[in-house]
Amino acid sequence: MYGRVVILGEGEVFGKLGETMFGMRLEGEMLHSFVGELANMVAGQAATIVAGRGCRIDITPPTVIAGRMHFYGLNNVVRMSVAFERAGELHFIISRDTEGKV
């Protein structure tokens, strides 16, 4: 099984999450690094759960994109929103593809 995980959110939400976790305000490159690390934590935990169910899984390093963008070609999509107290909401888009690289 192949797929993608996209985490969408406002910079302010990621900033508040980072501040909660690290006790200091994150900006610029530090914020971008935190977003990538958050993606690693989410994907790593998901991979652990999926692998525990007997599926072969591999994750790739995250790509952090700032600003507006449009997504095309995502198939079999599930979207889930998660609200964080005192931070805001993040949206997780999970797509399942029929081909790719492992």
Side-chain angles (χ1 to χ4, degrees):
M1 182 169 64
Y2 307 95
R4 292 180 181 84
V5 176
V6 178
I7 305 172
L8 298 173
E10 297 294 326
E12 184 176 314
V13 175
F14 287 110
K16 287 179 182 178
L17 286 173
E19 187 173 349
T20 299
M21 291 177 73
F22 298 113
M24 61 183 265
R25 184 172 174 84
L26 303 177
E27 298 175 324
E29 290 298 316
M30 289 281 291
L31 180 58
H32 293 156
S33 178
F34 167 71
V35 171
E37 189 53 39
L38 180 65
N40 276 333
M41 289 186 279
V42 169
Q45 183 63 35
T48 299
I49 292 167
V50 171
R53 295 183 178 172
C55 295
R56 181 171 179 231
I57 189 163
D58 189 20
I59 60 175
T60 60
T63 300
V64 176
I65 301 170
R68 288 185 67 88
M69 66 178 304
H70 299 276
F71 293 98
Y72 301 96
L74 295 179
N75 299 311
N76 302 308
V77 173
V78 173
R79 182 177 174 149
M80 175 179 62
S81 297
V82 178
F84 296 91
E85 191 174 323
R86 293 187 295 270
E89 194 170 65
L90 292 180
H91 307 280
F92 295 81
I93 298 171
I94 304 164
S95 74
R96 186 178 58 116
D97 299 320
T98 56
E99 57 184 58
K101 288 171 60 173
V102 175

